Amino acid sequence: MNNYNFIDLNFKEIAESKMIEESRSFYKKMDRRRSVREFSDKKVPQEIIENIVMTASSAPSGAHKQPWFFCAIANSELKHRIREAAEKEEYKSYHGRMSEEWLKDLEPFDTDFHKPFIDIASWILVIFKKPYDLEEGEKRKNYYTNESVGIAVGFLLSAIHNAGLVALTHTPSPMNFLEKLLERPENEKAFLLIPVGYPAEKVKVPQLERKVQEQVLKIYN
Ligand SMILES: Cc1cc2nc3c(=O)[nH]c(=O)nc-3n(C[C@H](O)[C@H](O)[C@H](O)COP(=O)(O)O)c2cc1C
């Protein structure tokens, strides 16, 4: 035993039948999550956003470095500046940067470079990854940054869905304009932009098939 403190695990065993029921109903709930690209301007209370972000920040991370930072933007003027910069990048992506194959793969989503949801959604979350921390000017390396921040965003999207809101995972790449607009320090790299809010009335989403169990799971008994 080293000199670091260990505490009791907060764990309460539940009956197997209840576990089966809970796991099934959580799966069904998560399976109803959809990415939404048209939002209502209905406001979402800040406290909900705080709870959602802190759920994300409870995620596991390499050596517990928690290599993430979240910006939550409700300010209309700032959202508009982000939209303008995102659309500039997206215009270039849709008009030359993306391959023919990529553009073909995007056809079912009927997307283009216009991103009105950045103005309209109640909140814009921008997630940053931190490949290293800065401690008194010294660089301290973080580990498995992409994996850690990816898991945190998984928690984030689950928390948004659980709260009864909708989101879009958006990547207006390259995303370094977000670091500048949000005045982030040099060790923070923009990872994803996620509008959060209520869906537009009667919004439609692409009809997609999710892979069935046989395509994604092999059991080794
Ligand atoms: C890493 C990542 C990047 C994505 N980038 C975009 C994007 O820039 N624009 C967009 O409209 N959708 C984007 N999506 C959303 C996907 O198109 C969507 O998740 C997928 O079509 C499945 O639909 P669903 O989320 O409704 O299940 C992205 C998703 C992921 C995971």
PDB file of all heavy atoms in Angstrom, residues 101-132:
ATOM      1  N   GLU A 101     -16.617  11.010 -52.598  1.00  0.00           N
ATOM      2  CA  GLU A 101     -17.160   9.881 -51.816  1.00  0.00           C
ATOM      3  C   GLU A 101     -17.804  10.400 -50.512  1.00  0.00           C
ATOM      4  O   GLU A 101     -18.888   9.972 -50.119  1.00  0.00           O
ATOM      5  CB  GLU A 101     -16.020   8.907 -51.501  1.00  0.00           C
ATOM      6  CG  GLU A 101     -16.500   7.623 -50.849  1.00  0.00           C
ATOM      7  CD  GLU A 101     -15.355   6.716 -50.433  1.00  0.00           C
ATOM      8  OE1 GLU A 101     -14.182   7.095 -50.603  1.00  0.00           O
ATOM      9  OE2 GLU A 101     -15.642   5.622 -49.910  1.00  0.00           O
ATOM     10  N   TRP A 102     -17.110  11.326 -49.881  1.00  0.00           N
ATOM     11  CA  TRP A 102     -17.594  11.907 -48.621  1.00  0.00           C
ATOM     12  C   TRP A 102     -18.909  12.660 -48.864  1.00  0.00           C
ATOM     13  O   TRP A 102     -19.901  12.478 -48.142  1.00  0.00           O
ATOM     14  CB  TRP A 102     -16.509  12.844 -48.061  1.00  0.00           C
ATOM     15  CG  TRP A 102     -16.694  13.281 -46.644  1.00  0.00           C
ATOM     16  CD1 TRP A 102     -17.821  13.161 -45.870  1.00  0.00           C
ATOM     17  CD2 TRP A 102     -15.716  13.932 -45.812  1.00  0.00           C
ATOM     18  NE1 TRP A 102     -17.612  13.697 -44.627  1.00  0.00           N
ATOM     19  CE2 TRP A 102     -16.334  14.173 -44.571  1.00  0.00           C
ATOM     20  CE3 TRP A 102     -14.387  14.336 -45.998  1.00  0.00           C
ATOM     21  CZ2 TRP A 102     -15.658  14.810 -43.511  1.00  0.00           C
ATOM     22  CZ3 TRP A 102     -13.720  14.965 -44.946  1.00  0.00           C
ATOM     23  CH2 TRP A 102     -14.346  15.182 -43.721  1.00  0.00           C
ATOM     24  N   LEU A 103     -18.923  13.491 -49.918  1.00  0.00           N
ATOM     25  CA  LEU A 103     -20.136  14.255 -50.227  1.00  0.00           C
ATOM     26  C   LEU A 103     -21.310  13.318 -50.512  1.00  0.00           C
ATOM     27  O   LEU A 103     -22.447  13.571 -50.112  1.00  0.00           O
ATOM     28  CB  LEU A 103     -19.887  15.191 -51.417  1.00  0.00           C
ATOM     29  CG  LEU A 103     -18.972  16.389 -51.118  1.00  0.00           C
ATOM     30  CD1 LEU A 103     -18.570  17.103 -52.403  1.00  0.00           C
ATOM     31  CD2 LEU A 103     -19.634  17.383 -50.164  1.00  0.00           C
ATOM     32  N   LYS A 104     -21.018  12.200 -51.218  1.00  0.00           N
ATOM     33  CA  LYS A 104     -22.061  11.202 -51.519  1.00  0.00           C
ATOM     34  C   LYS A 104     -22.591  10.598 -50.206  1.00  0.00           C
ATOM     35  O   LYS A 104     -23.799  10.423 -50.042  1.00  0.00           O
ATOM     36  CB  LYS A 104     -21.439  10.115 -52.410  1.00  0.00           C
ATOM     37  CG  LYS A 104     -22.410   9.181 -53.047  1.00  0.00           C
ATOM     38  CD  LYS A 104     -22.610   9.519 -54.552  1.00  0.00           C
ATOM     39  CE  LYS A 104     -23.876   8.905 -55.089  1.00  0.00           C
ATOM     40  NZ  LYS A 104     -25.047   9.711 -55.147  1.00  0.00           N
ATOM     41  N   ASP A 105     -21.651  10.293 -49.272  1.00  0.00           N
ATOM     42  CA  ASP A 105     -22.049   9.715 -47.986  1.00  0.00           C
ATOM     43  C   ASP A 105     -22.909  10.672 -47.159  1.00  0.00           C
ATOM     44  O   ASP A 105     -23.653  10.246 -46.269  1.00  0.00           O
ATOM     45  CB  ASP A 105     -20.806   9.327 -47.166  1.00  0.00           C
ATOM     46  CG  ASP A 105     -20.228   7.994 -47.607  1.00  0.00           C
ATOM     47  OD1 ASP A 105     -20.957   7.208 -48.254  1.00  0.00           O
ATOM     48  OD2 ASP A 105     -19.039   7.735 -47.320  1.00  0.00           O
ATOM     49  N   LEU A 106     -22.760  11.970 -47.435  1.00  0.00           N
ATOM     50  CA  LEU A 106     -23.528  12.966 -46.668  1.00  0.00           C
ATOM     51  C   LEU A 106     -24.906  13.239 -47.262  1.00  0.00           C
ATOM     52  O   LEU A 106     -25.750  13.867 -46.618  1.00  0.00           O
ATOM     53  CB  LEU A 106     -22.742  14.286 -46.574  1.00  0.00           C
ATOM     54  CG  LEU A 106     -21.505  14.292 -45.666  1.00  0.00           C
ATOM     55  CD1 LEU A 106     -20.838  15.658 -45.694  1.00  0.00           C
ATOM     56  CD2 LEU A 106     -21.866  13.927 -44.223  1.00  0.00           C
ATOM     57  N   GLU A 107     -25.137  12.763 -48.488  1.00  0.00           N
ATOM     58  CA  GLU A 107     -26.401  13.080 -49.172  1.00  0.00           C
ATOM     59  C   GLU A 107     -27.658  12.743 -48.357  1.00  0.00           C
ATOM     60  O   GLU A 107     -28.598  13.541 -48.316  1.00  0.00           O
ATOM     61  CB  GLU A 107     -26.461  12.400 -50.551  1.00  0.00           C
ATOM     62  CG  GLU A 107     -25.774  13.237 -51.607  1.00  0.00           C
ATOM     63  CD  GLU A 107     -25.715  12.548 -52.962  1.00  0.00           C
ATOM     64  OE1 GLU A 107     -26.416  11.530 -53.157  1.00  0.00           O
ATOM     65  OE2 GLU A 107     -24.947  13.035 -53.823  1.00  0.00           O
ATOM     66  N   PRO A 108     -27.690  11.566 -47.665  1.00  0.00           N
ATOM     67  CA  PRO A 108     -28.927  11.245 -46.922  1.00  0.00           C
ATOM     68  C   PRO A 108     -29.271  12.267 -45.838  1.00  0.00           C
ATOM     69  O   PRO A 108     -30.412  12.308 -45.367  1.00  0.00           O
ATOM     70  CB  PRO A 108     -28.609   9.891 -46.267  1.00  0.00           C
ATOM     71  CG  PRO A 108     -27.425   9.353 -46.983  1.00  0.00           C
ATOM     72  CD  PRO A 108     -26.681  10.515 -47.565  1.00  0.00           C
ATOM     73  N   PHE A 109     -28.287  13.098 -45.446  1.00  0.00           N
ATOM     74  CA  PHE A 109     -28.543  14.047 -44.350  1.00  0.00           C
ATOM     75  C   PHE A 109     -28.999  15.408 -44.860  1.00  0.00           C
ATOM     76  O   PHE A 109     -29.412  16.259 -44.080  1.00  0.00           O
ATOM     77  CB  PHE A 109     -27.280  14.183 -43.477  1.00  0.00           C
ATOM     78  CG  PHE A 109     -26.759  12.845 -43.049  1.00  0.00           C
ATOM     79  CD1 PHE A 109     -25.629  12.294 -43.619  1.00  0.00           C
ATOM     80  CD2 PHE A 109     -27.458  12.106 -42.108  1.00  0.00           C
ATOM     81  CE1 PHE A 109     -25.183  11.040 -43.263  1.00  0.00           C
ATOM     82  CE2 PHE A 109     -27.018  10.839 -41.742  1.00  0.00           C
ATOM     83  CZ  PHE A 109     -25.880  10.299 -42.326  1.00  0.00           C
ATOM     84  N   ASP A 110     -28.876  15.606 -46.199  1.00  0.00           N
ATOM     85  CA  ASP A 110     -29.336  16.852 -46.826  1.00  0.00           C
ATOM     86  C   ASP A 110     -28.719  18.083 -46.147  1.00  0.00           C
ATOM     87  O   ASP A 110     -29.402  19.076 -45.904  1.00  0.00           O
ATOM     88  CB  ASP A 110     -30.881  16.902 -46.767  1.00  0.00           C
ATOM     89  CG  ASP A 110     -31.436  17.914 -47.758  1.00  0.00           C
ATOM     90  OD1 ASP A 110     -30.744  18.196 -48.759  1.00  0.00           O
ATOM     91  OD2 ASP A 110     -32.534  18.442 -47.514  1.00  0.00           O
ATOM     92  N   THR A 111     -27.440  17.998 -45.839  1.00  0.00           N
ATOM     93  CA  THR A 111     -26.763  19.131 -45.191  1.00  0.00           C
ATOM     94  C   THR A 111     -26.032  19.964 -46.241  1.00  0.00           C
ATOM     95  O   THR A 111     -25.728  19.485 -47.338  1.00  0.00           O
ATOM     96  CB  THR A 111     -25.742  18.633 -44.138  1.00  0.00           C
ATOM     97  OG1 THR A 111     -24.881  17.674 -44.758  1.00  0.00           O
ATOM     98  CG2 THR A 111     -26.429  18.004 -42.950  1.00  0.00           C
ATOM     99  N   ASP A 112     -25.748  21.209 -45.912  1.00  0.00           N
ATOM    100  CA  ASP A 112     -24.880  22.040 -46.737  1.00  0.00           C
ATOM    101  C   ASP A 112     -24.111  22.957 -45.790  1.00  0.00           C
ATOM    102  O   ASP A 112     -24.094  22.702 -44.581  1.00  0.00           O
ATOM    103  CB  ASP A 112     -25.673  22.807 -47.814  1.00  0.00           C
ATOM    104  CG  ASP A 112     -26.702  23.751 -47.220  1.00  0.00           C
ATOM    105  OD1 ASP A 112     -26.538  24.161 -46.051  1.00  0.00           O
ATOM    106  OD2 ASP A 112     -27.680  24.079 -47.911  1.00  0.00           O
ATOM    107  N   PHE A 113     -23.517  24.029 -46.341  1.00  0.00           N
ATOM    108  CA  PHE A 113     -22.660  24.847 -45.475  1.00  0.00           C
ATOM    109  C   PHE A 113     -23.445  25.788 -44.552  1.00  0.00           C
ATOM    110  O   PHE A 113     -22.876  26.370 -43.630  1.00  0.00           O
ATOM    111  CB  PHE A 113     -21.644  25.640 -46.320  1.00  0.00           C
ATOM    112  CG  PHE A 113     -22.239  26.804 -47.069  1.00  0.00           C
ATOM    113  CD1 PHE A 113     -22.255  28.074 -46.495  1.00  0.00           C
ATOM    114  CD2 PHE A 113     -22.776  26.632 -48.340  1.00  0.00           C
ATOM    115  CE1 PHE A 113     -22.799  29.152 -47.186  1.00  0.00           C
ATOM    116  CE2 PHE A 113     -23.323  27.707 -49.036  1.00  0.00           C
ATOM    117  CZ  PHE A 113     -23.339  28.964 -48.459  1.00  0.00           C
ATOM    118  N   HIS A 114     -24.735  25.921 -44.768  1.00  0.00           N
ATOM    119  CA  HIS A 114     -25.530  26.808 -43.902  1.00  0.00           C
ATOM    120  C   HIS A 114     -25.742  26.176 -42.529  1.00  0.00           C
ATOM    121  O   HIS A 114     -26.148  25.009 -42.451  1.00  0.00           O
ATOM    122  CB  HIS A 114     -26.903  27.090 -44.538  1.00  0.00           C
ATOM    123  CG  HIS A 114     -26.808  27.866 -45.809  1.00  0.00           C
ATOM    124  ND1 HIS A 114     -26.903  27.271 -47.044  1.00  0.00           N
ATOM    125  CD2 HIS A 114     -26.592  29.189 -46.028  1.00  0.00           C
ATOM    126  CE1 HIS A 114     -26.769  28.206 -47.980  1.00  0.00           C
ATOM    127  NE2 HIS A 114     -26.571  29.375 -47.396  1.00  0.00           N
ATOM    128  N   LYS A 115     -25.486  26.931 -41.463  1.00  0.00           N
ATOM    129  CA  LYS A 115     -25.622  26.370 -40.112  1.00  0.00           C
ATOM    130  C   LYS A 115     -26.471  27.283 -39.222  1.00  0.00           C
ATOM    131  O   LYS A 115     -26.001  27.814 -38.197  1.00  0.00           O
ATOM    132  CB  LYS A 115     -24.222  26.160 -39.483  1.00  0.00           C
ATOM    133  CG  LYS A 115     -23.296  25.277 -40.314  1.00  0.00           C
ATOM    134  CD  LYS A 115     -23.805  23.845 -40.451  1.00  0.00           C
ATOM    135  CE  LYS A 115     -23.069  23.104 -41.559  1.00  0.00           C
ATOM    136  NZ  LYS A 115     -23.644  21.797 -41.888  1.00  0.00           N
ATOM    137  N   PRO A 116     -27.745  27.520 -39.613  1.00  0.00           N
ATOM    138  CA  PRO A 116     -28.593  28.436 -38.828  1.00  0.00           C
ATOM    139  C   PRO A 116     -28.781  27.997 -37.380  1.00  0.00           C
ATOM    140  O   PRO A 116     -29.021  28.825 -36.500  1.00  0.00           O
ATOM    141  CB  PRO A 116     -29.933  28.422 -39.589  1.00  0.00           C
ATOM    142  CG  PRO A 116     -29.878  27.227 -40.482  1.00  0.00           C
ATOM    143  CD  PRO A 116     -28.444  26.973 -40.783  1.00  0.00           C
ATOM    144  N   PHE A 117     -28.647  26.692 -37.121  1.00  0.00           N
ATOM    145  CA  PHE A 117     -28.877  26.216 -35.748  1.00  0.00           C
ATOM    146  C   PHE A 117     -27.891  26.834 -34.753  1.00  0.00           C
ATOM    147  O   PHE A 117     -28.167  26.880 -33.559  1.00  0.00           O
ATOM    148  CB  PHE A 117     -28.836  24.678 -35.682  1.00  0.00           C
ATOM    149  CG  PHE A 117     -27.577  24.051 -36.240  1.00  0.00           C
ATOM    150  CD1 PHE A 117     -26.403  24.049 -35.524  1.00  0.00           C
ATOM    151  CD2 PHE A 117     -27.597  23.441 -37.495  1.00  0.00           C
ATOM    152  CE1 PHE A 117     -25.245  23.464 -36.039  1.00  0.00           C
ATOM    153  CE2 PHE A 117     -26.452  22.857 -38.026  1.00  0.00           C
ATOM    154  CZ  PHE A 117     -25.264  22.869 -37.291  1.00  0.00           C
ATOM    155  N   ILE A 118     -26.757  27.335 -35.254  1.00  0.00           N
ATOM    156  CA  ILE A 118     -25.794  27.935 -34.302  1.00  0.00           C
ATOM    157  C   ILE A 118     -26.367  29.231 -33.715  1.00  0.00           C
ATOM    158  O   ILE A 118     -26.148  29.548 -32.550  1.00  0.00           O
ATOM    159  CB  ILE A 118     -24.408  28.163 -34.970  1.00  0.00           C
ATOM    160  CG1 ILE A 118     -23.850  26.819 -35.461  1.00  0.00           C
ATOM    161  CG2 ILE A 118     -23.431  28.834 -33.993  1.00  0.00           C
ATOM    162  CD1 ILE A 118     -22.482  26.897 -36.138  1.00  0.00           C
ATOM    163  N   ASP A 119     -27.158  29.955 -34.527  1.00  0.00           N
ATOM    164  CA  ASP A 119     -27.856  31.144 -34.009  1.00  0.00           C
ATOM    165  C   ASP A 119     -29.062  30.758 -33.153  1.00  0.00           C
ATOM    166  O   ASP A 119     -29.362  31.413 -32.167  1.00  0.00           O
ATOM    167  CB  ASP A 119     -28.414  31.985 -35.181  1.00  0.00           C
ATOM    168  CG  ASP A 119     -27.395  32.958 -35.732  1.00  0.00           C
ATOM    169  OD1 ASP A 119     -26.552  33.439 -34.954  1.00  0.00           O
ATOM    170  OD2 ASP A 119     -27.451  33.243 -36.950  1.00  0.00           O
ATOM    171  N   ILE A 120     -29.755  29.709 -33.576  1.00  0.00           N
ATOM    172  CA  ILE A 120     -31.103  29.449 -33.033  1.00  0.00           C
ATOM    173  C   ILE A 120     -31.101  28.628 -31.735  1.00  0.00           C
ATOM    174  O   ILE A 120     -31.853  28.939 -30.800  1.00  0.00           O
ATOM    175  CB  ILE A 120     -31.975  28.735 -34.107  1.00  0.00           C
ATOM    176  CG1 ILE A 120     -32.130  29.647 -35.335  1.00  0.00           C
ATOM    177  CG2 ILE A 120     -33.348  28.367 -33.542  1.00  0.00           C
ATOM    178  CD1 ILE A 120     -32.694  28.954 -36.572  1.00  0.00           C
ATOM    179  N   ALA A 121     -30.266  27.590 -31.665  1.00  0.00           N
ATOM    180  CA  ALA A 121     -30.296  26.708 -30.478  1.00  0.00           C
ATOM    181  C   ALA A 121     -30.006  27.527 -29.221  1.00  0.00           C
ATOM    182  O   ALA A 121     -29.208  28.470 -29.247  1.00  0.00           O
ATOM    183  CB  ALA A 121     -29.268  25.597 -30.639  1.00  0.00           C
ATOM    184  N   SER A 122     -30.637  27.126 -28.132  1.00  0.00           N
ATOM    185  CA  SER A 122     -30.503  27.903 -26.890  1.00  0.00           C
ATOM    186  C   SER A 122     -29.046  28.002 -26.433  1.00  0.00           C
ATOM    187  O   SER A 122     -28.588  29.062 -26.016  1.00  0.00           O
ATOM    188  CB  SER A 122     -31.361  27.238 -25.805  1.00  0.00           C
ATOM    189  OG  SER A 122     -31.300  27.961 -24.617  1.00  0.00           O
ATOM    190  N   TRP A 123     -28.329  26.882 -26.528  1.00  0.00           N
ATOM    191  CA  TRP A 123     -26.930  26.851 -26.079  1.00  0.00           C
ATOM    192  C   TRP A 123     -26.040  26.231 -27.156  1.00  0.00           C
ATOM    193  O   TRP A 123     -26.450  25.275 -27.820  1.00  0.00           O
ATOM    194  CB  TRP A 123     -26.780  26.011 -24.811  1.00  0.00           C
ATOM    195  CG  TRP A 123     -27.419  26.622 -23.615  1.00  0.00           C
ATOM    196  CD1 TRP A 123     -28.716  26.455 -23.200  1.00  0.00           C
ATOM    197  CD2 TRP A 123     -26.808  27.505 -22.674  1.00  0.00           C
ATOM    198  NE1 TRP A 123     -28.950  27.186 -22.060  1.00  0.00           N
ATOM    199  CE2 TRP A 123     -27.785  27.841 -21.705  1.00  0.00           C
ATOM    200  CE3 TRP A 123     -25.518  28.044 -22.544  1.00  0.00           C
ATOM    201  CZ2 TRP A 123     -27.525  28.692 -20.634  1.00  0.00           C
ATOM    202  CZ3 TRP A 123     -25.259  28.893 -21.470  1.00  0.00           C
ATOM    203  CH2 TRP A 123     -26.261  29.207 -20.537  1.00  0.00           C
ATOM    204  N   ILE A 124     -24.842  26.755 -27.268  1.00  0.00           N
ATOM    205  CA  ILE A 124     -23.800  26.110 -28.064  1.00  0.00           C
ATOM    206  C   ILE A 124     -22.727  25.657 -27.087  1.00  0.00           C
ATOM    207  O   ILE A 124     -22.173  26.483 -26.331  1.00  0.00           O
ATOM    208  CB  ILE A 124     -23.184  27.090 -29.099  1.00  0.00           C
ATOM    209  CG1 ILE A 124     -24.250  27.628 -30.067  1.00  0.00           C
ATOM    210  CG2 ILE A 124     -22.032  26.419 -29.861  1.00  0.00           C
ATOM    211  CD1 ILE A 124     -24.963  26.589 -30.900  1.00  0.00           C
ATOM    212  N   LEU A 125     -22.466  24.364 -27.074  1.00  0.00           N
ATOM    213  CA  LEU A 125     -21.365  23.852 -26.247  1.00  0.00           C
ATOM    214  C   LEU A 125     -20.175  23.620 -27.163  1.00  0.00           C
ATOM    215  O   LEU A 125     -20.310  23.018 -28.235  1.00  0.00           O
ATOM    216  CB  LEU A 125     -21.744  22.527 -25.583  1.00  0.00           C
ATOM    217  CG  LEU A 125     -22.893  22.554 -24.578  1.00  0.00           C
ATOM    218  CD1 LEU A 125     -23.125  21.162 -23.989  1.00  0.00           C
ATOM    219  CD2 LEU A 125     -22.605  23.543 -23.464  1.00  0.00           C
ATOM    220  N   VAL A 126     -19.022  24.097 -26.746  1.00  0.00           N
ATOM    221  CA  VAL A 126     -17.791  23.787 -27.474  1.00  0.00           C
ATOM    222  C   VAL A 126     -16.893  23.027 -26.508  1.00  0.00           C
ATOM    223  O   VAL A 126     -16.623  23.481 -25.383  1.00  0.00           O
ATOM    224  CB  VAL A 126     -17.082  25.049 -28.007  1.00  0.00           C
ATOM    225  CG1 VAL A 126     -15.832  24.658 -28.773  1.00  0.00           C
ATOM    226  CG2 VAL A 126     -18.024  25.847 -28.904  1.00  0.00           C
ATOM    227  N   ILE A 127     -16.492  21.843 -26.955  1.00  0.00           N
ATOM    228  CA  ILE A 127     -15.668  20.978 -26.108  1.00  0.00           C
ATOM    229  C   ILE A 127     -14.232  21.070 -26.597  1.00  0.00           C
ATOM    230  O   ILE A 127     -13.959  20.934 -27.793  1.00  0.00           O
ATOM    231  CB  ILE A 127     -16.176  19.515 -26.166  1.00  0.00           C
ATOM    232  CG1 ILE A 127     -17.602  19.432 -25.617  1.00  0.00           C
ATOM    233  CG2 ILE A 127     -15.269  18.590 -25.355  1.00  0.00           C
ATOM    234  CD1 ILE A 127     -18.667  19.535 -26.645  1.00  0.00           C
ATOM    235  N   PHE A 128     -13.337  21.294 -25.649  1.00  0.00           N
ATOM    236  CA  PHE A 128     -11.907  21.368 -25.969  1.00  0.00           C
ATOM    237  C   PHE A 128     -11.188  20.173 -25.365  1.00  0.00           C
ATOM    238  O   PHE A 128     -11.529  19.720 -24.271  1.00  0.00           O
ATOM    239  CB  PHE A 128     -11.300  22.652 -25.388  1.00  0.00           C
ATOM    240  CG  PHE A 128     -11.809  23.886 -26.071  1.00  0.00           C
ATOM    241  CD1 PHE A 128     -12.957  24.518 -25.629  1.00  0.00           C
ATOM    242  CD2 PHE A 128     -11.153  24.399 -27.181  1.00  0.00           C
ATOM    243  CE1 PHE A 128     -13.441  25.647 -26.279  1.00  0.00           C
ATOM    244  CE2 PHE A 128     -11.623  25.530 -27.839  1.00  0.00           C
ATOM    245  CZ  PHE A 128     -12.775  26.155 -27.383  1.00  0.00           C
ATOM    246  N   LYS A 129     -10.178  19.684 -26.093  1.00  0.00           N
ATOM    247  CA  LYS A 129      -9.300  18.660 -25.522  1.00  0.00           C
ATOM    248  C   LYS A 129      -7.983  19.337 -25.143  1.00  0.00           C
ATOM    249  O   LYS A 129      -7.571  20.318 -25.770  1.00  0.00           O
ATOM    250  CB  LYS A 129      -9.068  17.514 -26.498  1.00  0.00           C
ATOM    251  CG  LYS A 129      -8.288  17.884 -27.729  1.00  0.00           C
ATOM    252  CD  LYS A 129      -7.980  16.649 -28.554  1.00  0.00           C
ATOM    253  CE  LYS A 129      -7.153  17.024 -29.771  1.00  0.00           C
ATOM    254  NZ  LYS A 129      -6.829  15.916 -30.639  1.00  0.00           N
ATOM    255  N   LYS A 130      -7.368  18.789 -24.105  1.00  0.00           N
ATOM    256  CA  LYS A 130      -6.111  19.373 -23.624  1.00  0.00           C
ATOM    257  C   LYS A 130      -4.992  18.333 -23.717  1.00  0.00           C
ATOM    258  O   LYS A 130      -4.843  17.503 -22.812  1.00  0.00           O
ATOM    259  CB  LYS A 130      -6.287  19.851 -22.182  1.00  0.00           C
ATOM    260  CG  LYS A 130      -7.354  20.938 -22.058  1.00  0.00           C
ATOM    261  CD  LYS A 130      -7.781  21.184 -20.627  1.00  0.00           C
ATOM    262  CE  LYS A 130      -6.796  22.049 -19.900  1.00  0.00           C
ATOM    263  NZ  LYS A 130      -7.297  22.404 -18.538  1.00  0.00           N
ATOM    264  N   PRO A 131      -4.207  18.344 -24.804  1.00  0.00           N
ATOM    265  CA  PRO A 131      -3.118  17.371 -24.940  1.00  0.00           C
ATOM    266  C   PRO A 131      -2.090  17.499 -23.814  1.00  0.00           C
ATOM    267  O   PRO A 131      -1.410  16.550 -23.484  1.00  0.00           O
ATOM    268  CB  PRO A 131      -2.484  17.725 -26.287  1.00  0.00           C
ATOM    269  CG  PRO A 131      -3.487  18.596 -26.979  1.00  0.00           C
ATOM    270  CD  PRO A 131      -4.302  19.268 -25.925  1.00  0.00           C
ATOM    271  N   TYR A 132      -2.022  18.686 -23.238  1.00  0.00           N
ATOM    272  CA  TYR A 132      -1.158  18.892 -22.073  1.00  0.00           C
ATOM    273  C   TYR A 132      -1.763  19.969 -21.180  1.00  0.00           C
ATOM    274  O   TYR A 132      -2.569  20.796 -21.634  1.00  0.00           O
ATOM    275  CB  TYR A 132       0.271  19.273 -22.496  1.00  0.00           C
ATOM    276  CG  TYR A 132       0.366  20.508 -23.351  1.00  0.00           C
ATOM    277  CD1 TYR A 132       0.598  21.760 -22.799  1.00  0.00           C
ATOM    278  CD2 TYR A 132       0.201  20.436 -24.739  1.00  0.00           C
ATOM    279  CE1 TYR A 132       0.670  22.893 -23.596  1.00  0.00           C
ATOM    280  CE2 TYR A 132       0.264  21.574 -25.536  1.00  0.00           C
ATOM    281  CZ  TYR A 132       0.504  22.804 -24.955  1.00  0.00           C
ATOM    282  OH  TYR A 132       0.566  23.932 -25.742  1.00  0.00           O
TER     283      TYR A 132
END
